[in-house]
Amino acid sequence: MDFFVDTAEISEISELSSSGMVDGVTTNPSLIMKSGRDVREVLAEICALVKGPVSAEVVATDADRMTDEGRTLAKIAENIVVKVPLTWDGLRACRTLAADGIKVNVTLCFNSAQALLAAKANATYISPFIGRLDDLGQDGMELIEDIRTIYDNYSYETRILAASIRSPLHVSSSALAGADVVTVPPAVLRRLALHPLTDKGLASFLADWEKTGMTIA
Ligand code: E4P
């Protein structure tokens, strides 16, 4: 499973990448706004830091302008993936950009019929938003399972990118449900390796080792 980090903060991307766990980055207009940086500059910096796919979202709402924006964003670096919203215009732009050889991430997916349309529009990625569905009392993970079944039924190659991740449980459940990629906010990514029993066990091993007076290297 690939791990993307869901942020436009250079310092976070740089620190997390050094763990070797970051395969790509996703951004959106809200994350770019939070970074306080110029969109082109920050995307170029992220693309230089991370060799994997970096999603950059269009902000136009009609297909022609989305396509123009997508082509502009794609010129920033060769690892840019253009993100378009799951609207009819977004799907039209997706098909056109994909025909140009540009990778597209169709975002803001909330049901499996939408995901089916994205696959038919030749999306490279579909981004179902788990956390936002859970917030409404729906089961976001069920959506990942349904999309997995549908894509497998028809051998669609569109990759399922679990998004709107709020907890380590979302990450492991997405893996169990067959998501290809999970995009994780930095704070959640850091929490993935943490367990109180790991800390407790390590403290006890080290205390016993101290008593031996031995060294290893
Ligand atoms: C995905 O690409 C989005 O940027 C992101 O996962 C949205 O998450 P949120 O619901 O926490 O804003």
Side-chain angles (χ1 to χ4, degrees), residues 110 130-139:
F110 293 96
I130 305 311
R132 293 191 194 188
L133 280 171
D134 286 0
D135 290 345
L136 293 183
Q138 295 180 39
D139 186 354

Side-chain angles (χ1 to χ4, degrees), residues 67 71 95-102:
T67 304
R71 287 177 177 144
R95 182 175 289 283
T96 307
L97 291 165
D100 281 2
I102 294 171

Side-chain angles (χ1 to χ4, degrees), residues 29-132:
S30 303
L31 293 172
I32 298 287
M33 182 273 291
K34 276 188 207 145
S35 78
R37 302 276 314 275
D38 172 78
V39 62
R40 285 180 189 77
E41 270 179 32
V42 77
L43 287 169
E45 258 184 69
I46 296 171
C47 289
L49 259 179
V50 175
K51 295 302 166 207
V54 174
S55 287
E57 190 160 340
V58 302
V59 290
T61 52
D62 68 276
D64 288 343
R65 286 196 309 134
M66 280 180 185
T67 304
D68 288 347
E69 288 184 359
R71 287 177 177 144
T72 301
L73 290 169
K75 284 185 191 134
I76 293 174
E78 65 178 24
N79 51 336
I80 285 280
V81 172
V82 173
K83 215 170 172 189
V84 301
L86 211 155
T87 58
W88 282 112
D89 282 278
L91 292 166
R92 270 192 283 273
C94 176
R95 182 175 289 283
T96 307
L97 291 165
D100 281 2
I102 294 171
K103 291 188 172 143
V104 182
N105 173 358
V106 178
T107 190
L108 290 166
C109 170
F110 293 96
N111 70 42
S112 51
Q114 289 183 312
L116 183 51
L117 292 174
K120 284 176 72 62
N122 299 322
T124 302
Y125 298 97
I126 181 68
S127 289
F129 274 38
I130 305 311
R132 293 191 194 188

Side-chain angles (χ1 to χ4, degrees), residues 6 26-28 31 83 107 127 129 132 163-166 183:
D6 197 27
T26 50
T27 68
N28 62 39
L31 293 172
K83 215 170 172 189
T107 190
S127 289
F129 274 38
R132 293 191 194 188
S164 188
I165 293 294
R166 305 272 160 81
T183 187

